[in-house]
Amino acid sequence: MKKVLTAAAILLLSFGFLSASGAEESKAEGPIELSYWGWGPHVVGVNETISPAFKEMYPDVTVKAEALGPWDLMDKFYVSMVSGKGAPDAAQLVRRVSEKYLISELLYDFTGFMNEYDGQFSEALNRDVLSVDGKYLGIPLDYGPSALFYNKPLAEKLGIDVSTIVTWDDFYELAVKISREYPDLYIMTQYYPAGTWGSNYYRMFMQSAGANIYDAEGKVIRNNQKMVEVLEFLYKLHADVKTLNIPVNDPLMWEESRKNNILFYPRNSYFSGEMEQQVPEMDGVIHTIPWPLWSEDDDPQYTGNWGGVALVVPQKGPHADIAAEFCKFFATNVEALTQHWYTTTGVPSYAPARDNIIKDNTNETFAKGLMEAITVREVGPWYYTDWAQTEKILGDGLDNMFGGKLTPAEAWQWTEDQLIKILGR
Amino acid sequence: MVFDKKKSPYLFLLPFLIMFFSFWLWPILQSLYWSMLEWDGLRAPTFVGFRNYIKLFSEQDYIIALSNTVSAAIVYIGIMVIVALFLGFMLNSSILPGRAAFRTIIFLPVTVSLPVIALVFFIIFAKNNGVLNNIISTLGFGRSIDWLGDPRINLWSIVSLRIWRASGFYAIFILAGLQSIPEEVIEASIIDGASGWKTIRLIVLPLLRPVIIYVIIASSIWAFQLFEEPWILTRGGPVNSTATIAMHVYRNGFQFFQLGYASASAYVLTAIIVVFALIQLLINKGK
Amino acid sequence: MVQNKARRKTKRVLSIVLMVIIGVIMFFPLYWMLVSSFRTNDQIYSTTLNLLPTSLMLKNYADLLLTTKFVYWFTNSVLITLSTTLLGLVLCTIAGFALARYRFRFRNAIFLLIFIMISIPRFTTIIPLFKIMSQLNFTDTYLSLILPFAVNPLALFLMKQYLESIPEDLLDSARIDGLNELQMVIRIVMPIIKPAIGAAGVNIVMMTWNDYLFPLVMMSSERKLVLTVGLASLKTLYVVEYGMIMAGSVISVLPLIIAFLIFQKQFVAGLIAGSVKG
């Protein structure tokens, strides 16, 4: 027995040590395997569609995508950048917080490519998240513009004509009325506490109102009246309308959805793909209308944007050039991006791909009318300066307001003060 | 002779120490140096001396995180030890049947990884129709409680999760302690007329002291590093009501890219834990 | 006397009731996890509290085994945990023996230093540690996880306490028999410290099996992920595959529970000698 145990121990240990040698990568010529870090359906898409398509152009190259959670990916990527080792050949980043990762000595420079494709990547300002000192250090892959989702049979049952909802004021009036008549019904879902994920959710409202926290120089806008107005509206909505308040990913939301207890979902395009996975039996129930305006004579008519994916290539990688080629290929491949839309309902940043979807809308998304609802609006300009920190401060400010500690005006003043004090902007 | 009585202690310690030095001490010393830098990890660092530490104590969020961490840790350790003692006594009580099964059941919570536990508790604590609120309303106590969203109670919801998770594990330590007390000691005191509670207080608890101290030391290390549960359940909110120092370290280090500042933050926490541990050791020695 | 008996009986009944209540509370989340692993996502989300195992659907398990690299994750976790525990026990036994049985300079200082260092939050050390591992070319190998976790101060502490309780006569007679110190530790000491090995082993196993951050950062290839990281990767930005995560968790607690059932006697006995002496 003892001998068996000893043998087992030695075996196990040597197994561990032997596996160390696996780390030596062959850098010799021949077939190249590019590593790609991603999350969600992207990963499946890369492995099953995009990599084989890329292989037709570069027969020696295989792209192997690995799935990680998005925030885990961001952490891991950061560790590898700091250590200078262990980075993948290419990766996707959460675009709205990617600013701090963009350092020109470390990431591949896509400026030439982006200039060549100038005008073909939509929503110019969001693209600027990826530019530092005039250099583009990443390629935007997709984005998630906001839309108002609703339960159509439920709306019909209640005798609501959603086409009358043009502005948020229309929405508010209708919501208050239904709240009174049907006290058991949730008019809409919203993220609360805001400090969890809500920050970005409420930011979509701000963005659609044409408001901004920072100006183009990255300075906090003082006496931001527009922002106060948005906050006042959000507070009113929170106080007078029956909302289902949930932190992110609260599974109970799906149950309420399924029981037809929720009328509206102010969300973004990704929500359709999410619903398809979580409540597939609601197929045909959920429809969309454009994100309401803040006033009827808004021009341009803005909507918000949840965020999106950025493709980056660490410059130190042995195959940086070919990995960059892959990213360019992925971000401009109409077929791949079209498929990407139907699985994730992330809108391609590459305009020709988006136009292709609009033109050939034979295969509807889970939530009906989604593409029409989002294309009649333009994504509002937004400056994502110091976004990771700002998101935290913004969430705290909103929670102070929703928690009843501060009035909307005070809450905004508080937020502004914090931003200036902590970030020195 | 290599393994004689003189050289052996050093040779025996050597492998442990080599690995301890390379994989614990060296990284720790390196981050001590980092705590005096202003550095995002990617660009060239600037040496700022103790400025990060000074900045920490002028940051409101940090003070809140500090007070949350310390109060959560103290309450957690206090209640957890009491619960573990109680469970330990139950496990040792001869009048109860099925103790072996019970011992296994109370050990179970600690086996499940924290992210999964947090997911389960997400559904238990949920405000709308969460398990806990369903039970409360079934029992007829009206209003539902916002276990994770109400800043007055959410920290304690999380502490109770931790107590639930760890007390069974540490109860087994207590049980071990109880089993090592000779039964005659307890019996003798009962014959002397000491009542049950008195026996426990005057005879059993003092004999259990070393094991209790061990439980406190072992659990305090993790108690002060509170991170996963509030991070998954509340992200530290609303408004920092469940923010902790470990979260501050993570946020600043990994999300805000302030490695120097994050290291300083971690060192303050370490100092607190060390002081806490030293006090315990002193109390223990003083006896 | 009769009254006393009746009182004792009530006490017994009350204790049993209390034990059952506590057992239910302790078991509930795990029970829920188990039941959920057999349910579809929409059954999991159901707000009508359904405690009975309404279905015995094995789809989550099938999906987990067929569509993910679960088998690899599980194997990796098992191999890493076993190797770490074995290596850790060897290291802690001989180091603990040195600290417990010899007088030499800096003995207390070394011990205190080791003990204090475990209290530093690990996020701070992960980046420097990753650097060291990558310089040694250990990243993305089992070694990057085995080596740091094999050095377990709590296990060392338990070992040291236990080894202090071994009678000196035993060692002396071994020395008289002509064994050198290493032979003595291997042939005489190791066979009689099974309980301490149980207690220290549990500490190492618990720390290794459920760790998340280190394996997340150290391992990159999908086939080399460990269970915790692999299961977490099922949680994407917007969608949580609760059913599959629950099924995976059920499988992942099984080895720990089995190990506990097998070793609990030694575990408890090891704690008696190891921790009680303090």
Side-chain angles (χ1 to χ4, degrees):
Chain A
M1 185 63 193
K2 223 160 113 195
K3 270 183 188 160
V4 175
L5 276 176
T6 321
I10 292 168
L11 256 172
L12 266 173
L13 281 176
S14 54
F15 183 67
F17 281 94
L18 273 177
S19 67
S21 56
E24 306 284 334
E25 260 178 51
S26 61
K27 276 167 193 150
E29 295 293 309
I32 297 171
E33 190 176 279
L34 296 179
S35 57
Y36 176 97
W37 291 355
W39 64 84
H42 295 263
V43 175
V44 182
V46 168
N47 282 333
E48 287 178 0
T49 325
I50 299 153
S51 172
F54 189 63
K55 224 180 162 73
E56 282 170 20
M57 291 160 59
Y58 296 88
D60 283 349
V61 184
T62 315
V63 182
K64 216 184 148 299
E66 276 154 30
L68 291 149
W71 304 109
D72 285 348
L73 191 158
M74 300 292 272
D75 291 350
K76 215 169 137 71
F77 193 75
Y78 179 54
V79 173
S80 68
M81 299 248 289
V82 175
S83 326
K85 272 187 182 172
D89 293 307
Q92 59 186 58
L93 299 181
V94 178
R95 195 160 78 234
R96 69 176 197 277
V97 289
S98 61
E99 184 201 24
K100 295 210 170 184
Y101 294 77
L102 304 178
I103 291 175
S104 53
E105 294 80 47
L106 298 176
L107 291 183
Y108 190 89
D109 187 350
F110 285 105
T111 314
F113 168 80
M114 290 302 281
N115 287 340
E116 186 189 330
Y117 281 80
D118 193 26
Q120 298 200 49
F121 281 91
S122 38
E123 36 125 27
L125 269 169
N126 285 306
R127 200 172 61 179
D128 277 353
V129 178
L130 300 175
S131 90
V132 177
D133 304 330
K135 279 183 188 165
Y136 287 106
L137 299 176
I139 309 176
L141 186 74
D142 68 346
Y143 63 111
S146 335
L148 189 60
F149 295 71
Y150 69 102
N151 183 321
K152 197 175 184 198
L154 180 62
E156 279 165 2
K157 210 178 91 192
L158 302 178
I160 296 165
D161 179 8
V162 290
S163 68
T164 59
I165 303 170
V166 179
T167 65
W168 282 111
D169 285 333
D170 299 339
F171 179 84
Y172 173 78
E173 270 167 42
L174 183 73
V176 172
K177 201 176 124 240
I178 309 167
S179 276
R180 281 203 203 106
E181 285 173 38
Y182 305 95
D184 289 338
L185 193 73
Y186 293 111
I187 305 302
M188 59 182 267
T189 60
Q190 67 178 5
Y191 286 129
Y192 180 78
T196 54
W197 274 50
S199 243
N200 196 43
Y201 166 78
Y202 295 108
R203 192 196 55 74
M204 295 195 310
F205 287 83
M206 300 165 181
Q207 187 175 15
S208 72
N212 249 305
I213 295 179
Y214 298 102
D215 61 18
E217 275 73 52
K219 288 267 171 235
V220 175
I221 298 170
R222 310 289 167 103
N223 300 317
N224 198 333
Q225 208 45 48
K226 228 175 194 170
M227 205 56 109
V228 174
E229 278 165 29
V230 176
L231 255 59
E232 272 165 355
F233 177 77
L234 291 173
Y235 184 73
K236 209 165 71 169
L237 210 55
H238 184 83
D240 302 342
V241 172
K242 188 171 178 197
T243 54
L244 178 61
N245 297 333
I246 42 156
V248 76
N249 282 339
D250 188 331
L252 298 162
M253 183 185 82
W254 304 119
E255 173 69 4
E256 296 296 341
S257 296
R258 197 177 300 108
K259 291 199 300 199
N260 295 314
N261 279 345
I262 307 172
L263 185 55
F264 289 109
Y265 308 81
R267 292 293 179 115
N268 59 78
S269 71
Y270 295 115
F271 188 60
S272 171
E274 190 183 348
M275 282 201 119
E276 188 169 7
Q277 287 213 30
Q278 297 293 337
V279 279
E281 66 271 39
M282 293 189 80
D283 192 17
V285 172
I286 301 295
H287 286 242
T288 40
I289 56 170
W291 190 254
L293 302 170
W294 290 85
S295 114
E296 266 172 64
D297 25 76
D298 273 356
D299 184 37
Q301 301 184 335
Y302 285 136
T303 183
N305 172 24
W306 179 260
V309 165
L311 300 179
V312 294
V313 171
Q315 210 171 22
K316 276 189 183 165
H319 311 301
D321 288 323
I322 188 80
E325 285 310 310
F326 172 75
C327 289
K328 293 174 191 172
F329 175 79
F330 186 12
T332 56
N333 184 302
V334 173
E335 204 180 316
L337 292 169
T338 306
Q339 198 198 349
H340 180 77
W341 160 257
Y342 288 116
T343 50
T344 67
T345 48
V347 184
S349 292
Y350 183 57
R354 195 192 57 172
D355 296 342
N356 181 57
I357 295 164
I358 297 171
K359 200 175 68 205
D360 177 39
N361 206 353
T362 47
N363 186 1
E364 264 269 37
T365 44
F366 184 77
K368 304 300 171 218
L370 181 58
M371 192 44 112
E372 293 93 304
I374 53 186
T375 38
V376 298
R377 299 272 186 270
E378 193 177 313
V379 172
W382 189 266
Y383 299 104
Y384 289 91
T385 312
D386 272 344
W387 196 248
Q389 271 153 301
T390 305
E391 204 165 55
K392 157 103 173 51
I393 296 167
L394 180 62
D396 286 352
L398 286 163
D399 278 344
N400 274 326
M401 177 182 85
F402 291 132
K405 270 195 196 151
L406 302 174
T407 67
E410 286 166 358
W412 186 253
Q413 192 56 50
W414 182 91
T415 310
E416 228 175 88
D417 293 345
Q418 291 287 309
L419 290 170
I420 293 164
K421 196 178 123 202
I422 296 173
L423 302 175
R425 290 188 171 272
Chain B
M1 220 163 99
V2 184
F3 286 101
D4 63 11
K5 238 181 144 176
K6 258 211 165 127
K7 281 180 232 146
S8 287
Y10 299 103
L11 288 172
F12 287 168
L13 267 175
L14 199 64
F16 189 95
L17 284 183
I18 288 176
M19 284 173 62
F20 178 71
F21 180 82
S22 11
F23 304 124
W24 286 80
L25 199 57
W26 176 243
I28 285 168
L29 289 176
Q30 207 165 350
S31 71
L32 179 65
Y33 169 64
W34 289 6
S35 76
M36 300 183 190
L37 301 177
E38 196 184 307
W39 188 34
D40 68 356
L42 305 172
R43 298 184 185 84
T46 338
F47 190 81
V48 293
F50 289 97
R51 217 178 301 160
N52 282 331
Y53 291 91
I54 296 164
K55 194 176 146 203
L56 273 177
F57 285 98
S58 60
E59 192 198 331
Q60 207 188 352
D61 282 11
Y62 191 70
I63 305 292
I64 297 170
L66 193 63
S67 103
N68 283 346
T69 308
V70 172
S71 49
I74 290 172
V75 171
Y76 160 73
I77 296 167
I79 297 180
M80 196 278 292
V81 169
I82 293 168
V83 175
L85 272 170
F86 183 78
L87 292 174
F89 278 107
M90 282 185 82
L91 287 176
N92 198 41
S93 149
S94 52
I95 59 168
L96 287 177
R99 276 172 295 151
F102 189 58
R103 185 163 64 188
T104 309
I105 284 177
I106 65 171
F107 173 78
L108 289 179
V110 84
T111 58
V112 186
S113 70
L114 274 175
V116 173
I117 286 286
L119 277 179
V120 174
F121 272 82
F122 208 44
I123 290 160
I124 291 175
F125 282 141
K127 184 175 179 240
N128 306 90
N129 290 314
V131 174
L132 210 50
N133 279 341
N134 271 346
I135 292 172
I136 288 176
S137 67
T138 316
L139 293 176
F141 295 110
R143 264 162 47 84
S144 63
I145 298 168
D146 196 355
W147 298 101
L148 297 173
D150 187 336
R152 287 165 302 179
I153 55 168
N154 52 8
L155 186 62
W156 311 116
S157 303
I158 288 165
V159 169
S160 62
L161 185 171
R162 295 204 115 201
I163 293 170
W164 166 82
R165 185 165 189 262
S167 47
F169 181 62
Y170 289 114
I172 295 167
F173 286 70
I174 304 283
L175 169 69
L178 283 170
Q179 288 185 345
S180 72
I181 299 173
E183 258 172 60
E184 307 89 70
V185 175
I186 298 170
E187 264 167 30
S189 66
I190 291 171
I191 293 165
D192 283 351
S195 70
W197 168 239
K198 247 187 171 171
T199 315
I200 292 175
R201 195 165 55 93
L202 296 176
I203 297 164
V204 181
L205 283 186
L207 285 171
L208 273 183
R209 240 174 64 100
V211 85
I212 294 173
I213 298 255
Y214 174 81
V215 168
I216 291 176
I217 290 181
S219 62
S220 65
I221 292 159
W222 308 118
F224 284 99
Q225 295 188 24
L226 179 58
F227 174 71
E228 273 105 334
E229 302 95 324
W231 183 249
I232 298 167
L233 291 169
T234 64
R235 282 286 188 280
V239 211
N240 292 324
S241 51
T242 49
T244 65
I245 297 195
M247 205 181 280
H248 186 269
V249 174
Y250 174 77
R251 266 209 173 105
N252 279 284
F254 282 81
Q255 298 196 319
F256 305 163
F257 287 23
Q258 297 175 336
L259 283 183
Y261 191 55
S263 305
S265 173
Y267 269 94
V268 172
L269 178 60
T270 308
I272 292 169
I273 301 173
V274 168
V275 168
F276 191 84
L278 287 180
I279 291 172
Q280 289 171 21
L281 284 177
L282 282 179
I283 294 173
N284 201 22
K285 281 257 165 71
K287 188 73 181 211
Chain C
M1 205 53 189
V2 177
Q3 203 189 356
N4 228 345
K5 220 175 187 178
R7 252 183 66 191
R8 207 180 258 182
K9 204 171 175 190
T10 354
K11 221 172 129 189
R12 191 179 136 99
V13 171
L14 278 178
S15 309
I16 292 173
V17 169
L18 191 67
M19 186 171 93
V20 171
I21 292 175
I22 293 173
V24 168
I25 293 174
M26 288 291 180
F27 192 54
F28 175 74
L30 287 128
Y31 173 77
W32 196 87
M33 185 174 98
L34 183 68
V35 173
S36 299
S37 71
F38 295 116
R39 290 179 174 168
T40 57
N41 261 2
D42 56 285
Q43 286 169 324
I44 296 174
Y45 305 147
S46 174
T47 48
T48 36
L49 191 57
N50 210 338
L51 289 179
L52 298 173
T54 42
S55 66
L56 248 178
M57 188 194 65
L58 293 172
K59 184 172 176 297
N60 291 324
Y61 289 90
D63 280 353
L64 193 68
L65 294 176
L66 299 176
T67 64
T68 71
K69 299 263 187 304
F70 184 82
V71 177
Y72 286 97
W73 303 339
F74 187 82
T75 321
N76 290 336
S77 273
V78 170
L79 287 175
I80 289 170
T81 306
L82 281 179
S83 324
T84 309
T85 310
L86 279 171
L87 182 62
L89 286 174
V90 172
L91 287 174
C92 292
T93 307
I94 55 171
F97 189 80
L99 289 170
R101 305 304 308 210
Y102 301 100
R103 311 262 144 230
F104 54 94
R105 290 184 74 185
F106 307 123
R107 189 178 73 123
N108 287 328
I110 290 173
F111 182 63
L112 201 64
L113 180 74
I114 293 171
F115 208 74
I116 282 171
M117 284 307 158
I118 39 170
S119 57
I120 300 204
R122 305 247 293 283
F123 316 117
T124 13
T125 65
I126 187 90
I127 293 176
L129 189 59
F130 184 83
K131 264 188 168 167
I132 295 168
M133 289 299 177
S134 57
Q135 275 153 11
L136 295 170
N137 244 333
F138 284 171
T139 47
D140 207 23
T141 71
Y142 291 156
L143 280 179
S144 63
L145 298 176
I146 294 171
L147 297 179
F149 282 95
V151 192
N152 186 309
L154 272 179
L156 178 74
F157 180 81
L158 281 171
M159 274 296 181
K160 173 180 170 280
Q161 303 299 342
Y162 192 89
L163 288 163
E164 276 171 356
S165 69
I166 297 176
E168 187 68 32
D169 300 351
L170 191 73
L171 303 180
D172 283 341
S173 59
R175 284 175 186 132
I176 291 164
D177 286 350
L179 298 178
N180 70 30
E181 301 292 300
L182 183 65
Q183 288 167 330
M184 178 180 79
V185 170
I186 293 172
R187 291 199 208 149
I188 309 294
V189 176
M190 286 203 174
I192 60 165
I193 56 164
K194 262 196 211 151
I197 287 178
V202 165
N203 263 306
I204 304 177
V205 169
M206 295 308 250
M207 247 181 101
T208 319
W209 184 262
N210 276 337
D211 193 57
Y212 182 75
L213 188 70
F214 271 59
L216 168 72
V217 170
M218 296 295 171
M219 303 302 228
S220 328
S221 344
E222 203 174 358
R223 289 189 172 188
K224 285 185 182 163
L225 297 186
V226 300
L227 262 178
T228 44
V229 180
L231 287 180
S233 73
L234 299 177
K235 197 173 61 178
T236 68
L237 192 48
Y238 310 104
V239 177
V240 180
E241 291 286 353
Y242 274 104
M244 262 154 89
I245 293 177
M246 294 301 164
S249 312
V250 170
I251 301 178
S252 79
V253 299
L254 284 180
L256 290 184
I257 295 171
I258 292 168
F260 179 74
L261 288 175
I262 295 173
F263 293 113
Q264 60 174 330
K265 269 217 180 102
Q266 291 181 2
F267 173 49
V268 173
L271 291 172
I272 291 176
S275 62
V276 172
K277 286 192 63 248

